[in-house]
Amino acid sequence: MKAIKRYQRYLSLWALGLAASMGAAASAHAQSGVGDVVYVPTPQVVVDEMLNMVKLNKSDFLIDLGSGDGRLVITAAKKHGARALGVDLDRYLLKVANEAAQKEGVTERVTFREQNLFQTDLSDATVISTYLLPSMNLKLRPSILALKPGTRVVAHDYAMGDWYPDEQKTLVVPEKKVGNPGISYIFSWVVPALAAGQWQSTINVSGKDVAYQFDLTQFFQNIDGNATAAGGAGGEVRGKMTGEQIRFSVSSRGAQKIERHEFQGVMKGDTITGTVRIGLDSTQRPWTAKLIKRGAMTRAQDEGGN
Ligand SMILES: C[S@@+](CC[C@H](N)C(=O)[O-])C[C@H]1O[C@@H](n2cnc3c(N)ncnc32)[C@H](O)[C@@H]1O
């Protein structure tokens, strides 16, 4: 009986619309959730910002890990036209989510599944969202990093250890009573392609082809290493992967004097194609690179979760 009353309260809250469901947060605490973390809903204003931050669109497939009352999944479908899946272990919340999807007219684009989030196949997702404990995010991190480069990830309040976010925001949310009351943190990442390794490259400089070798190391999305030109000149590499997009600069190291090079390109398998700008010259010169020895990502301090 108590459960039915709770259920009815949920439905009436959803009937007030998505914006009004921000106010549902406190009542929703009546439901504790099942699994590795209790149920706490993300305030709707934060849901909206999370989905905007990852530029969710109608070609996306979002998976919300631990979907609660389904608000991320339903908003993804209703406001952004995306397909979305929510997984949760709490049957009551799954029922609430399914009812809400029906009410909002998005059942064709959304699915809720009773499933452990750690056993969920993430391979089709283009966007993953979480509002989980830091230790759960860390446990998920290896599977997320193994996804297709370019997959976006967005998390409420808790980050991913020393995989620093590509973007983050702090929102003032007066109605939020848990975590850091009144404040929500949003973090987002793009799964980086693995560029670590040895690359052979040619750049056309003043009509002459100059051969370069890049020795890159990679820590999550950050790349650094050495660039060596034929003849020995070289420099220090610093840059970043955003999915398959690579961007780095090469600048002089120590006594060596080379002009600063700004590289950008797209990595597809073992090949990078892009352009380079040299010194103060704004000309974009074509640049390609071929992987000759694949490296591995530098191990994180916090690997394996905590
Ligand atoms: C903090 S709530 C977040 C709900 C929703 N994503 C949101 O942001 O409003 C976490 C949810 O994860 C679910 N959960 C906890 N452990 C889980 C597990 N191992 N597998 C699936 N769901 C889980 C809980 O039942 C709860 O609904």
Side-chain angles (χ1 to χ4, degrees):
M1 195 60 195
K2 228 165 115 191
I4 293 172
K5 276 213 175 114
R6 257 185 345 212
Y7 182 47
Q8 284 169 338
R9 190 167 57 198
Y10 254 99
L11 290 185
S12 62
L13 282 164
W14 271 103
L16 289 173
L18 287 172
S21 68
M22 281 159 58
S27 326
H29 296 167
Q31 182 62 24
S32 60
V34 172
D36 302 282
V37 61
V38 295
Y39 171 60
V40 180
T42 296
Q44 187 62 39
V45 67
V46 181
V47 170
D48 291 340
E49 193 57 47
M50 288 169 78
L51 300 184
N52 287 339
M53 200 156 159
V54 290
K55 298 182 176 61
L56 196 76
N57 63 70
K58 62 180 182 347
S59 54
D60 277 316
F61 176 50
L62 173 137
I63 301 183
D64 188 33
L65 295 173
S67 48
D69 69 358
R71 58 185 61 201
L72 270 124
V73 168
I74 291 167
T75 308
K78 188 158 173 133
K79 286 200 177 164
H80 300 265
R83 287 182 306 116
L85 165 70
V87 297
D88 209 293
L89 291 172
D90 187 314
R91 288 185 179 169
Y92 166 72
L93 287 170
L94 287 163
K95 196 170 175 204
V96 170
N98 273 314
E99 291 283 345
Q102 219 154 32
K103 220 170 194 62
E104 298 296 332
V106 292
T107 49
E108 278 186 8
R109 290 198 295 281
V110 314
T111 310
F112 292 100
R113 191 184 295 157
E114 182 182 346
Q115 191 172 60
N116 191 320
L117 61 91
F118 292 112
Q119 270 131 44
T120 299
D121 177 4
L122 306 178
S123 58
D124 285 338
T126 58
V127 177
I128 292 186
S129 54
T130 69
Y131 184 20
L132 302 171
L133 295 173
S135 56
M136 295 173 77
N137 282 352
L138 271 186
K139 194 169 162 190
L140 280 166
R141 194 173 72 180
S143 328
I144 291 177
L145 282 164
L147 293 174
K148 260 195 310 289
T151 305
R152 288 108 76 208
V153 184
V154 63
H156 180 200
D157 265 0
Y158 302 110
M160 294 257 176
D162 51 12
W163 180 14
Y164 294 118
D166 292 299
E167 208 186 327
Q168 67 184 81
K169 267 190 186 169
T170 304
L171 299 188
V172 175
V173 188
E175 68 272 26
K176 184 167 176 260
K177 305 288 180 241
V178 293
N180 194 351
I183 302 283
S184 273
Y185 305 99
I186 306 176
F187 305 97
S188 77
W189 300 260
V190 180
V191 171
L194 181 66
Q198 215 167 67
W199 296 82
Q200 247 165 21
S201 170
T202 312
I203 309 170
N204 191 280
V205 186
S206 311
K208 269 200 321 202
D209 277 348
V210 180
Y212 271 82
Q213 182 172 308
F214 298 111
D215 293 284
L216 303 183
T217 56
Q218 184 168 351
F219 186 65
F220 300 107
Q221 66 272 56
N222 301 308
I223 47 175
D224 58 14
N226 292 305
T228 316
E236 188 172 359
V237 173
R238 283 214 182 283
K240 186 179 167 185
M241 301 301 298
T242 306
E244 291 177 324
Q245 309 277 335
I246 185 168
R247 190 176 275 276
F248 63 92
S249 62
V250 175
S251 42
S252 295
R253 191 199 295 276
Q256 292 172 329
K257 288 278 172 272
I258 59 158
E259 285 185 287
R260 188 179 169 90
H261 289 46
E262 297 282 353
F263 291 86
Q264 59 174 10
V266 178
M267 182 183 156
K268 293 273 178 211
D270 289 356
T271 306
I272 300 173
T273 313
T275 56
V276 55
R277 212 165 52 73
I278 303 173
L280 297 174
D281 183 355
S282 59
T283 313
Q284 293 284 355
R285 299 161 201 275
W287 160 66
T288 58
K290 190 92 198 143
L291 186 70
I292 49 173
K293 188 171 170 206
R294 187 171 293 286
M297 204 174 273
T298 306
R299 274 178 78 86
Q301 295 285 314
D302 54 11
E303 221 143 69
N306 57 22

